[in-house]
Amino acid sequence: MANYFARKAGNIDATDVWATTPSGTAGAQTFVSGDVLYANNFAITVNVSTNLGSTGEVRNDNTNSATAGGTFTLSNSVTLTANVITGSAAVCVTYAGAAGNSATIVGNVTGGSGASIHGATNTSTGTLNITGNITGGSTTSAQGVNNSSSGIVNITGNCTGGSGQGAGGARNGSTGTINITGNCTGGSGALTGNDLSVGANNISTGTINITGNCVGGSGANNSTNLPSGAQNASSGTINITGNCVGGTNANAVCVHNQSTGIISITGNCTGSSSTAAQGAVNNSTGQMSVTGSIYATDQ
């Protein structure tokens, strides 16, 4: 395994971008499995598919004397095989393809240590595919993955809220769609408005489809804002095919319908032994349907 540091903005395969030290002289590099690429506060375009293996990483934090910041931007049709580690200054990986185009990340994605610094973001109408686990970050609203427009994010992996206040795993921020094949679990972070440390959070009019179980988290909360496995915060729709279980803290419900949206659950709903940690809560005038059994406490 080797560390490489960007020395200028440019393509990931350029011969004059990467050096072996943060202030070194750039030269032609051949990446192998396990290598770590630091953005080093530069804008890097992932213009070709790049495979760093299951232990390789792309990062934009300040470890190993790198300068925090910089972003890896995916071009259409590329696959980036690497774990995504995010710092405090900028989103680590972005995709902005138009509808009909797509890009792929194969690796785990972690939200950042700065406010609203997401691990990966789909900013347009195209499709971002991710095969790997998604985890929220360590500070306010640092989502693991953010779908900020009308595009699609397909996740094959588990989505877990982070330790930061409002640092959810996967966040659908607009009219787009997130499809998750994996379990969604609330995190340990506290509430902040509609952004919670939830596994999957639908905050606008879009749709989240979950094929997997949902479990409430352990974060601080109150009766209105709940560290859920999945939350519908507005008028959008969440469809869940899987079982739903309350979390380990008071009000840490499995699924929370906070507003006027629709939640459909095909599976069993079970409350936990924690105070008010129900399997599912419809907190406003929205619709919630359950096709399955409902239990008061863990069975």
Side-chain angles (χ1 to χ4, degrees):
M1 180 191 82
N3 295 324
Y4 295 100
F5 302 84
R7 297 294 293 122
K8 60 181 286 189
N11 291 334
I12 198 169
D13 65 344
T15 60
D16 60 349
V17 167
W18 300 101
T20 56
T21 62
S23 58
T25 300
Q29 310 291 349
T30 300
F31 304 132
V32 299
S33 181
D35 284 348
V36 178
L37 308 187
Y38 288 87
N40 203 29
N41 203 27
F42 290 105
I44 303 301
T45 299
V46 184
N47 62 307
V48 295
S49 292
T50 302
N51 188 350
L52 303 180
S54 62
T55 60
E57 297 172 348
V58 293
R59 311 179 66 117
N60 66 354
D61 61 352
N62 63 354
T63 59
N64 286 320
S65 300
T67 300
T71 298
F72 296 85
T73 299
L74 304 177
S75 297
N76 291 330
S77 302
V78 302
T79 297
L80 173 64
T81 302
N83 299 307
V84 177
I85 309 296
T86 311
S88 61
V91 174
C92 191
V93 176
T94 66
Y95 178 62
N101 296 296
S102 66
T104 300
I105 299 170
V106 178
N108 301 324
V109 179
T110 303
S113 56
S116 299
I117 301 300
H118 315 308
T121 297
N122 186 14
T123 64
S124 190
T125 58
T127 298
L128 176 61
N129 302 304
I130 302 173
T131 299
N133 296 323
I134 313 299
T135 305
S138 60
T139 194
T140 304
S141 297
Q143 320 295 330
V145 171
N146 185 41
N147 193 29
S148 64
S149 185
S150 58
I152 298 170
V153 174
N154 296 315
I155 299 170
T156 302
N158 299 323
C159 295
T160 304
S163 59
Q165 186 181 52
R171 177 181 185 267
N172 201 26
S174 187
T175 60
T177 299
I178 296 181
N179 300 307
I180 300 169
T181 302
N183 300 324
C184 295
T185 304
S188 59
L191 65 92
T192 173
N194 286 337
D195 273 328
L196 311 179
S197 177
V198 302
N201 197 10
N202 199 29
I203 72 163
S204 187
T205 59
T207 299
I208 295 181
N209 299 307
I210 300 169
T211 302
N213 299 324
C214 292
V215 180
S218 60
N221 49 73
N222 59 36
S223 60
T224 301
N225 297 283
L226 312 173
S228 317
Q231 175 178 256
N232 207 21
S234 186
S235 57
T237 299
I238 295 180
N239 300 305
I240 300 168
T241 303
N243 297 321
C244 301
V245 180
T248 60
N249 202 350
N251 295 314
V253 303
C254 163
V255 179
H256 180 212
N257 202 22
Q258 188 180 12
S259 187
T260 59
I262 298 171
I263 292 181
S264 173
I265 302 169
T266 302
N268 299 327
C269 290
T270 306
S272 81
S273 57
S274 298
T275 303
Q278 298 101 325
V281 167
N282 195 29
N283 214 43
S284 186
T285 58
Q287 302 175 40
M288 180 178 289
S289 64
V290 178
T291 303
S293 300
I294 299 175
Y295 303 101
T297 58
D298 290 335
Q299 300 296 304

